[in-house]
Amino acid sequence: MTTRFDKLGVIIAAIVAYAAFAAPFATLRANRIVPGEARSILEALPPTLGPLLLAVVVVAAVVALLKTPLALRLAASVVALAALALLIGVAGSFLTPEGNSFARISPASGFWLLIFAFTLLLADGLTRLNLSPSARIGVLVVAAAAIGLLLVSGSWNSLSILKEYANRADSFWAEGSKHVTLALGSLAAAVLVGLPLGILCHRVEKLRAGVLNALNIIQTIPSIALFGLLIAPLGWVATHVPGAASLGIRGIGTAPAFVALFLYSLLPVVANTVVGLAGVPRAANDAARGMGMTERQRLFGVEFPLAFPVILTGIRIVLVQNIGLATIAALIGGGGFGVFVFQGVGQTAMDLVLLGAVPTVAMAFTAAIILDALIEMTSTRRREAQPA
Amino acid sequence: MIEIEGITKRYDATTVVDDVSMVIEPRTIAVIVGTSGSGKTTLLRMINRLVEPTAGVIRLDGADNRSLPGYELRRSIGYTIQGHGLFPHRTVAQNIATVPVLLGWDAARTKRRVDELMTLYQLDPQAFGPRYPHELSGGQQQRVGVARALAAEPNVLLMDEPFGALDPIIRNKAQEDLRAIQKRFGTTIILVTHDMEEAVRMGDKIAVMDAGKLVQYARPAEILAKPASAFVETLVGASEKPFRLLSLGRVRDAVETGTAEGEAIPADVSQRDALAELLWSGRPALPVTGADGKPLGRVTVDGLVKRAARPA
């Protein structure tokens, strides 16, 4: 006997049923820190749009539930996500009392669950499509453009998180660029130091265990503890090394955050370099030497290109990890999106926490997709069948 | 000419190659045969200095092989290994062009040479040049490996178990191809194998190694007829000896006058194959035809059996 139901579809339909009919769609609060009142889909939207949204999500859930063609499933998920994205903005304006600038409307659990359910459907569909790496980046660009368009068009401006943004637009971009600088800068430093160190560890076997163990130990130090440990040495450097202080090196602030992220980044870079180089076929290495390549020609012409996908995997780990970890830097005055997160926690203003957390997650997610695509491109380029 | 004089290689207390001396004549194939751990590969790798000897001298055409930096020496010597060692991230054409590129040949000359070698190895340059090694069959990969080793027209080619990974039918073909190409370019080849069958088939001379020592270095017929030690005898295989001896000769050298019934056998088939055909078909004699199809005479079971006997 064959079921006519899609396995994942059953879960998606169950989530949608709960989220659409039992969970609140939006929360209305009198100001940014008081607890809010829940509003269902029908209450949160104008009389025509509420039933329409319900109809859209129910139909999309039925499409997900039954065994339907892939194109239909993708279309259903995209339509449902688009409707949700547009109408949450409408709910924002609809629920905001006329002329009230203190009221805060935020998406509630029902909205997030619906987004989750249809993203699941979309992701499942895209996975089944088995897209090429460049097509995946294309999908990412389209999604980013759609979100960007919604942000620029102002249709979300009535939502709480964007009201927080409106109050802090300048510092948002300043902290954002600090965040990116921290994450990418420490990655760049880790690659500059980690690659040669990895190559050295590969060549000198005696060094390997020692270096990797030391980096492993660093990896196990909790980040806050590492910041604390760095205060003394960096403070000493700042006062005793001429010019260090003018470069911004201090016991607290950006410098220790940068150093900590750099130290955390080293292990994945070095370990993946060692593993990648060790995975180069012995015969290829032997042939390279036997044909008269110098050590340098062999490293750059044979070992490095063959190890590159594995090294890139290490860089991916580091980038995603650093984008997340850089949030902690705010604790010691290092800046970044963490500033909003910790301010928000301090003020019990969840919207402010989200203002820091959402862009961080979005950046990490984007970095992961782009680097995964790059890894696949570099490792399949030589496997792809060439037209004869 | 390659002169190996008193070559020794020691790793700490173990002697891997022990005072080996031999001379390899130009434009011949010398096969080094031995069990694993006999030092045959190490000896080979000391010729192009992938391994530096502890003592002794190796001269190539009279010049000490230490007179050049190792990598420059190796560019002038062809080198192939078991499992071919092709670069998986480079196309077939790029793989073959490796040494010409290292030597700084211009693009046109490199391409000409790559196309020439690929054609020689029955690989269409247009179709196979842009492919990657993993898209080729084992036999094709092996041919690309040899083509790559020959790309810069080396006088000397070192081969370490080049046919080890091939199935028997492809191996036969690869061995014949190598013979043909060796004749065409006049390359001096030193080939390492553990397979006495291959050694007898390929070698102008065979060097038998055991525990780092060169036990016997002689023509195949002599190795078969007068094994220098019990070890060589075992390696040759007592029950195989008469057949290996026969496999050295061609039918044309065993032709007797007279005629025989049945389908003819070409004159360039090995005497061993002719005997097998005679025994299998249950006939006492077979007619022999030359390359032009003209009858040359016949081979007989009696005649071949006499040739299979231990030479005086």
Side-chain angles (χ1 to χ4, degrees):
Chain A
M1 196 187 87
T2 54
T3 53
R4 295 180 53 235
F5 295 124
D6 184 271
K7 273 183 215 145
L8 184 67
V10 173
I11 298 169
I12 291 172
I15 297 173
V16 170
Y18 169 77
F21 296 103
F25 184 66
T27 312
L28 165 65
R29 285 169 303 165
N31 61 52
R32 63 195 282 257
I33 54 175
V34 296
E37 304 158 31
R39 292 282 187 272
S40 70
I41 288 182
L42 291 177
E43 292 163 334
L45 288 167
T48 48
L49 293 177
L52 179 69
L53 180 59
L54 272 184
V56 167
V57 298
V58 167
V59 169
V62 171
V63 168
L65 180 63
L66 302 176
K67 289 205 160 151
T68 43
L70 190 52
L72 184 61
R73 299 175 78 81
L74 283 171
S77 62
V78 169
V79 168
L81 286 172
L84 285 165
L86 281 170
L87 291 178
I88 192 67
V90 175
S93 346
F94 180 69
L95 288 176
T96 309
E98 200 68 41
N100 182 340
S101 60
F102 299 110
R104 288 287 193 272
I105 318 296
S106 28
S109 60
F111 172 82
W112 293 120
L113 281 173
L114 287 170
I115 291 284
F116 170 69
F118 291 115
T119 308
L120 207 59
L121 182 61
L122 180 64
D124 178 54
L126 290 176
T127 312
R128 289 195 211 174
L129 267 186
N130 210 353
L131 290 176
S132 71
S134 43
R136 290 209 301 270
I137 292 186
V139 169
L140 179 72
V141 168
V142 169
I147 292 172
L149 207 64
L150 281 168
L151 285 170
V152 172
S153 71
S155 65
W156 282 348
N157 280 357
S158 54
L159 295 178
S160 56
I161 181 170
L162 284 174
K163 288 198 169 160
E164 293 293 347
Y165 166 74
N167 292 337
R168 295 156 203 273
D170 290 344
S171 64
F172 179 85
W173 293 109
E175 298 301 349
S177 73
K178 227 181 251 178
H179 198 103
V180 171
T181 312
L182 265 179
L184 291 184
S186 58
L187 169 70
V191 170
L192 278 179
V193 175
L195 274 187
L197 193 59
I199 291 165
L200 200 67
C201 285
H202 173 70
R203 293 280 163 93
V204 189
E205 205 166 334
K206 280 177 196 154
L207 216 61
R208 200 176 306 160
V211 169
L212 289 178
N213 281 336
L215 293 176
N216 250 320
I217 290 170
I218 293 175
Q219 204 77 3
T220 60
I221 304 175
S223 46
I224 296 183
L226 188 54
F227 291 147
L229 289 175
L230 286 171
I231 289 176
L234 286 176
W236 187 89
V237 169
T239 43
H240 290 85
V241 177
S246 60
L247 279 173
I249 295 178
R250 276 178 300 146
I252 56 165
T254 314
F258 189 93
V259 173
L261 288 179
F262 162 76
L263 289 175
Y264 285 133
S265 309
L266 273 182
L267 178 68
V269 173
V270 174
N272 279 51
T273 306
V274 171
V275 171
L277 290 175
V280 173
R282 264 183 77 97
N285 254 328
D286 191 38
R289 286 191 64 211
M291 285 187 300
M293 288 192 182
T294 60
E295 287 295 291
R296 176 191 298 226
Q297 286 166 336
R298 188 162 64 90
L299 177 64
F300 289 106
V302 178
E303 293 190 292
F304 206 69
L306 287 175
F308 189 63
V310 182
I311 296 173
L312 206 56
T313 309
I315 291 175
R316 175 207 184 278
I317 295 171
V318 167
L319 184 57
V320 174
Q321 165 187 294
N322 277 7
I323 290 172
L325 263 182
T327 324
I328 312 277
L331 273 184
I332 49 163
F337 283 130
V339 169
F340 304 123
V341 174
F342 291 111
Q343 277 179 9
V345 170
Q347 303 172 5
T348 63
M350 278 317 290
D351 300 327
L352 191 53
V353 175
L354 286 179
L355 184 64
V358 170
T360 308
V361 172
M363 266 168 28
F365 191 68
T366 310
I369 290 181
I370 292 175
L371 278 170
D372 278 339
L374 280 181
I375 291 165
E376 207 181 311
M377 281 184 212
T378 53
S379 51
T380 53
R381 198 178 39 193
R382 62 171 170 273
R383 294 198 185 101
E384 250 168 49
Q386 299 281 315
Chain B
M1 181 151 74
I2 302 168
E3 297 158 277
I4 299 173
E5 263 183 40
I7 279 288
T8 297
K9 178 65 188 179
R10 270 189 292 272
Y11 290 106
D12 299 328
T14 33
T15 305
V16 185
V17 173
D18 192 358
D19 193 20
V20 169
S21 299
M22 58 194 277
V23 174
I24 297 148
E25 296 297 331
R27 291 178 290 283
T28 63
I29 300 183
V31 178
I32 308 174
V33 63
T35 51
S36 50
S38 60
K40 57 189 193 299
T41 294
T42 309
L43 178 61
L44 184 82
R45 290 163 69 92
M46 284 191 283
I47 297 174
N48 67 357
R49 285 176 54 206
L50 283 172
V51 174
E52 297 285 353
T54 312
V57 188
I58 295 177
R59 275 188 295 270
L60 304 170
D61 291 330
D64 191 322
N65 72 349
R66 283 166 300 185
S67 54
L68 285 175
Y71 63 90
E72 273 184 38
L73 172 78
R74 288 191 278 273
R75 287 172 191 176
S76 67
I77 299 177
Y79 182 62
T80 69
I81 49 180
Q82 181 172 12
H84 61 72
L86 296 177
F87 302 137
H89 61 303
R90 294 194 181 169
T91 63
V92 167
Q94 286 169 337
N95 262 291
I96 297 176
T98 304
V99 181
V101 167
L102 289 175
L103 291 172
W105 287 16
D106 63 62
R109 183 179 172 202
T110 304
K111 183 172 169 7
R112 255 201 325 275
R113 180 64 178 164
V114 169
D115 287 357
E116 178 194 356
L117 279 166
M118 289 190 71
T119 313
L120 193 63
Y121 268 101
Q122 298 127 41
L123 296 164
D124 175 19
Q126 244 73 46
F128 287 94
R131 293 205 195 169
Y132 286 85
H134 73 98
E135 298 172 83
L136 271 52
S137 71
Q140 289 167 338
Q141 289 172 341
Q142 194 272 341
R143 269 136 70 194
V144 174
V146 180
R148 180 174 72 171
L150 293 172
E153 298 163 358
N155 287 327
V156 176
L157 174 60
L158 307 180
M159 308 183 92
D160 191 356
E161 306 250 3
F163 310 118
L166 301 179
D167 66 58
I169 292 172
I170 297 178
R171 188 185 309 155
N172 262 336
K173 170 91 170 78
Q175 288 167 341
E176 277 169 27
D177 286 354
L178 183 67
R179 259 294 183 196
I181 278 164
Q182 189 264 341
K183 289 223 169 69
R184 178 183 170 132
F185 291 135
T187 316
T188 308
I189 297 178
I190 300 145
L191 188 150
V192 160
T193 181
H194 60 263
D195 178 2
M196 187 50 102
E197 181 92 38
E198 185 165 285
V200 170
R201 174 192 281 261
M202 301 296 294
D204 291 311
K205 279 181 111 176
I206 297 176
V208 181
M209 284 192 72
D210 181 30
K213 286 204 165 62
L214 179 63
V215 185
Q216 189 170 12
Y217 180 50
R219 307 189 65 80
E222 194 183 335
I223 297 259
L224 293 171
K226 298 176 193 146
S229 70
F231 174 78
V232 182
E233 178 112 35
T234 328
L235 207 61
V236 168
S239 63
E240 294 281 337
K241 270 192 293 189
F243 306 107
R244 293 212 161 123
L245 196 57
L246 278 186
S247 72
L248 287 171
R250 303 279 133 184
V251 167
R252 86 165 45 79
D253 305 318
V255 169
E256 303 166 23
T257 51
T259 54
E261 293 299 307
E263 201 173 325
I265 191 165
D268 58 352
V269 162
S270 81
Q271 292 173 10
R272 177 185 184 153
D273 292 345
L275 180 61
E277 178 59 31
L278 282 164
L279 294 175
W280 190 247
S281 60
R283 289 176 292 177
L286 279 176
V288 178
T289 52
D292 49 4
K294 282 190 187 143
L296 294 177
R298 60 176 190 166
V299 279
T300 60
V301 173
D302 289 346
L304 289 177
V305 165
K306 280 199 193 93
R307 286 171 180 275
R310 171 199 286 266

